[in-house]
PDB file of all heavy atoms in Angstrom:
ATOM      1  N   LEU G 301      14.197 -32.595  -7.433  1.00 96.00           N
ATOM      2  CA  LEU G 301      15.267 -32.069  -6.573  1.00 96.00           C
ATOM      3  C   LEU G 301      14.838 -30.681  -6.115  1.00 96.00           C
ATOM      4  O   LEU G 301      14.945 -30.361  -4.925  1.00 96.00           O
ATOM      5  CB  LEU G 301      16.573 -32.016  -7.272  1.00 96.00           C
ATOM      6  CG  LEU G 301      17.804 -31.708  -6.452  1.00 96.00           C
ATOM      7  CD1 LEU G 301      18.047 -32.742  -5.423  1.00 96.00           C
ATOM      8  CD2 LEU G 301      19.045 -31.638  -7.456  1.00 96.00           C
ATOM      9  N   GLY G 302      14.426 -29.844  -6.986  1.00 97.00           N
ATOM     10  CA  GLY G 302      13.928 -28.578  -6.558  1.00 97.00           C
ATOM     11  C   GLY G 302      12.846 -28.500  -5.590  1.00 97.00           C
ATOM     12  O   GLY G 302      12.916 -27.886  -4.498  1.00 97.00           O
ATOM     13  N   ARG G 303      11.911 -29.408  -5.852  1.00 97.00           N
ATOM     14  CA  ARG G 303      10.787 -29.554  -4.846  1.00 97.00           C
ATOM     15  C   ARG G 303      11.211 -29.916  -3.495  1.00 97.00           C
ATOM     16  O   ARG G 303      10.863 -29.351  -2.454  1.00 97.00           O
ATOM     17  CB  ARG G 303       9.782 -30.612  -5.442  1.00 97.00           C
ATOM     18  CG  ARG G 303       8.947 -30.178  -6.442  1.00 97.00           C
ATOM     19  CD  ARG G 303       7.798 -31.282  -6.671  1.00 97.00           C
ATOM     20  NE  ARG G 303       7.314 -31.252  -8.099  1.00 97.00           N
ATOM     21  CZ  ARG G 303       7.541 -32.168  -8.959  1.00 97.00           C
ATOM     22  NH1 ARG G 303       8.354 -33.190  -8.750  1.00 97.00           N
ATOM     23  NH2 ARG G 303       7.201 -32.044 -10.209  1.00 97.00           N
ATOM     24  N   ALA G 304      12.071 -30.928  -3.502  1.00 97.00           N
ATOM     25  CA  ALA G 304      12.674 -31.513  -2.254  1.00 97.00           C
ATOM     26  C   ALA G 304      13.340 -30.389  -1.433  1.00 97.00           C
ATOM     27  O   ALA G 304      13.160 -30.234  -0.336  1.00 97.00           O
ATOM     28  CB  ALA G 304      13.507 -32.624  -2.499  1.00 97.00           C
ATOM     29  N   ALA G 305      14.214 -29.685  -2.173  1.00 97.00           N
ATOM     30  CA  ALA G 305      15.018 -28.631  -1.527  1.00 97.00           C
ATOM     31  C   ALA G 305      14.071 -27.608  -0.941  1.00 97.00           C
ATOM     32  O   ALA G 305      14.313 -27.160   0.293  1.00 97.00           O
ATOM     33  CB  ALA G 305      15.929 -27.961  -2.533  1.00 97.00           C
ATOM     34  N   CYS G 306      13.069 -27.101  -1.571  1.00 97.00           N
ATOM     35  CA  CYS G 306      12.274 -26.108  -1.203  1.00 97.00           C
ATOM     36  C   CYS G 306      11.506 -26.601  -0.036  1.00 97.00           C
ATOM     37  O   CYS G 306      11.147 -25.864   0.921  1.00 97.00           O
ATOM     38  CB  CYS G 306      11.308 -25.720  -2.222  1.00 97.00           C
ATOM     39  SG  CYS G 306      10.451 -24.122  -1.910  1.00 97.00           S
ATOM     40  N   LYS G 307      10.969 -27.845  -0.032  1.00 97.00           N
ATOM     41  CA  LYS G 307      10.294 -28.422   1.054  1.00 97.00           C
ATOM     42  C   LYS G 307      11.027 -28.375   2.348  1.00 97.00           C
ATOM     43  O   LYS G 307      10.482 -27.985   3.453  1.00 97.00           O
ATOM     44  CB  LYS G 307       9.788 -29.850   0.732  1.00 97.00           C
ATOM     45  CG  LYS G 307       8.384 -30.012   0.380  1.00 97.00           C
ATOM     46  CD  LYS G 307       8.010 -31.434  -0.034  1.00 97.00           C
ATOM     47  CE  LYS G 307       7.456 -31.337  -1.373  1.00 97.00           C
ATOM     48  NZ  LYS G 307       7.475 -32.725  -2.050  1.00 97.00           N
ATOM     49  N   VAL G 308      12.223 -28.780   2.211  1.00 97.00           N
ATOM     50  CA  VAL G 308      13.143 -28.908   3.463  1.00 97.00           C
ATOM     51  C   VAL G 308      13.357 -27.438   3.989  1.00 97.00           C
ATOM     52  O   VAL G 308      13.318 -27.241   5.040  1.00 97.00           O
ATOM     53  CB  VAL G 308      14.432 -29.469   3.059  1.00 97.00           C
ATOM     54  CG1 VAL G 308      15.523 -29.298   4.178  1.00 97.00           C
ATOM     55  CG2 VAL G 308      14.281 -30.921   2.571  1.00 97.00           C
ATOM     56  N   LEU G 309      13.570 -26.461   2.947  1.00 97.00           N
ATOM     57  CA  LEU G 309      13.834 -25.143   3.434  1.00 97.00           C
ATOM     58  C   LEU G 309      12.552 -24.549   4.235  1.00 97.00           C
ATOM     59  O   LEU G 309      12.720 -23.979   5.193  1.00 97.00           O
ATOM     60  CB  LEU G 309      14.031 -24.200   2.252  1.00 97.00           C
ATOM     61  CG  LEU G 309      14.319 -22.783   2.561  1.00 97.00           C
ATOM     62  CD1 LEU G 309      15.455 -22.563   3.473  1.00 97.00           C
ATOM     63  CD2 LEU G 309      14.391 -21.901   1.305  1.00 97.00           C
ATOM     64  N   LEU G 310      11.406 -24.838   3.658  1.00 96.00           N
ATOM     65  CA  LEU G 310      10.231 -24.380   4.282  1.00 96.00           C
ATOM     66  C   LEU G 310      10.021 -24.907   5.738  1.00 96.00           C
ATOM     67  O   LEU G 310       9.624 -24.219   6.573  1.00 96.00           O
ATOM     68  CB  LEU G 310       8.906 -24.823   3.416  1.00 96.00           C
ATOM     69  CG  LEU G 310       8.804 -23.943   2.108  1.00 96.00           C
ATOM     70  CD1 LEU G 310       7.747 -24.541   1.240  1.00 96.00           C
ATOM     71  CD2 LEU G 310       8.501 -22.501   2.358  1.00 96.00           C
ATOM     72  N   GLU G 311      10.430 -26.205   5.905  1.00 95.00           N
ATOM     73  CA  GLU G 311      10.323 -26.787   7.229  1.00 95.00           C
ATOM     74  C   GLU G 311      11.365 -26.069   8.095  1.00 95.00           C
ATOM     75  O   GLU G 311      11.067 -25.847   9.267  1.00 95.00           O
ATOM     76  CB  GLU G 311      10.660 -28.298   7.075  1.00 95.00           C
ATOM     77  CG  GLU G 311       9.465 -29.052   6.526  1.00 95.00           C
ATOM     78  CD  GLU G 311       9.790 -30.512   6.276  1.00 95.00           C
ATOM     79  OE1 GLU G 311      10.927 -30.917   6.816  1.00 95.00           O
ATOM     80  OE2 GLU G 311       8.989 -31.252   5.816  1.00 95.00           O
ATOM     81  N   LEU G 312      12.472 -25.845   7.584  1.00 95.00           N
ATOM     82  CA  LEU G 312      13.478 -25.204   8.330  1.00 95.00           C
ATOM     83  C   LEU G 312      13.039 -23.799   8.733  1.00 95.00           C
ATOM     84  O   LEU G 312      13.136 -23.320   9.890  1.00 95.00           O
ATOM     85  CB  LEU G 312      14.730 -25.025   7.427  1.00 95.00           C
ATOM     86  CG  LEU G 312      16.129 -25.052   8.129  1.00 95.00           C
ATOM     87  CD1 LEU G 312      16.246 -26.354   8.919  1.00 95.00           C
ATOM     88  CD2 LEU G 312      17.126 -25.046   7.078  1.00 95.00           C
ATOM     89  N   MET G 313      12.310 -23.112   7.920  1.00 95.00           N
ATOM     90  CA  MET G 313      11.887 -21.764   8.147  1.00 95.00           C
ATOM     91  C   MET G 313      10.763 -21.839   9.217  1.00 95.00           C
ATOM     92  O   MET G 313      10.472 -20.799  10.020  1.00 95.00           O
ATOM     93  CB  MET G 313      11.390 -21.182   6.905  1.00 95.00           C
ATOM     94  CG  MET G 313      12.489 -20.584   5.997  1.00 95.00           C
ATOM     95  SD  MET G 313      12.039 -20.351   4.298  1.00 95.00           S
ATOM     96  CE  MET G 313      10.490 -19.514   4.500  1.00 95.00           C
ATOM     97  N   GLU G 314       9.964 -22.885   9.300  1.00 92.00           N
ATOM     98  CA  GLU G 314       8.952 -22.971  10.395  1.00 92.00           C
ATOM     99  C   GLU G 314       9.644 -23.518  11.628  1.00 92.00           C
ATOM    100  O   GLU G 314       8.915 -23.655  12.552  1.00 92.00           O
ATOM    101  CB  GLU G 314       7.974 -24.055   9.895  1.00 92.00           C
ATOM    102  CG  GLU G 314       7.111 -23.581   8.869  1.00 92.00           C
ATOM    103  CD  GLU G 314       6.261 -24.842   8.315  1.00 92.00           C
ATOM    104  OE1 GLU G 314       6.249 -25.932   9.004  1.00 92.00           O
ATOM    105  OE2 GLU G 314       5.704 -24.748   7.203  1.00 92.00           O
TER     106      GLU G 314
END
Side-chain angles (χ1 to χ4, degrees):
Chain G
L301 187 60
R303 283 193 206 103
C306 194
K307 251 174 239 163
V308 172
L309 178 62
L310 289 170
E311 286 177 4
L312 214 51
M313 282 161 44
E314 287 171 14

